[in-house]
């Protein structure tokens, strides 16, 4: 599913909305990204997804300063410009 990330949430997720307005919390994405994402859990009021590819990167996306950003989760906003 293709999603445009609207904002960041508390924690490691970007917030997007489906065409019908349902909130989707997307790990691996930052504000301004357009991503292809895979739903990992789907509830009545929101879903959680993982970005599988960056279709169009945000102008605020940078290379994370830590090579382990995708592995340990210690710096979830490491790909977002300061």
């Amino acid at each position: 599913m293709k999603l445009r990330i609207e904002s960041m949430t508390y924690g490691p997720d970007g917030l997007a909305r489906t065409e019908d307005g349902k909130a989707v919390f997307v790990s691996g994405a930052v504000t301004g990204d357009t991503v292809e994402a895979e739903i990992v859990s789907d509830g009545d009021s929101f879903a959680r997804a993982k970005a599988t590819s960056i279709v169009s990167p945000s102008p605020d996306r940078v290379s994370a300063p830590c090579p382990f950003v995708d592995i340990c989760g210690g710096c979830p906003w490491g790909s977002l410009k300061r």
Side-chain angles (χ1 to χ4, degrees):
M1 131 185 318
K2 187 185 278 191
L3 297 167
R4 172 100 170 127
I5 307 303
E6 301 172 2
S7 62
M8 297 303 294
T9 64
Y10 181 78
D13 300 331
L15 174 65
R17 296 199 181 271
T18 62
E19 290 180 9
D20 63 356
K22 186 175 186 177
V24 182
F25 298 94
V26 184
S27 68
V30 300
T31 303
D33 281 346
T34 298
V35 301
E36 282 292 334
E38 176 183 322
I39 300 292
V40 294
S41 68
D42 197 5
D44 292 335
S45 59
F46 68 91
R48 295 197 180 278
K50 178 177 180 169
T52 56
S53 68
I54 308 296
V55 175
S56 175
S58 167
D60 294 324
R61 178 173 275 283
V62 296
S63 294
C66 175
F68 304 108
V69 68
D70 294 326
I71 298 169
C72 81
C75 44
W77 290 22
S79 296
L80 191 60
K81 188 186 310 183
R82 294 183 190 97

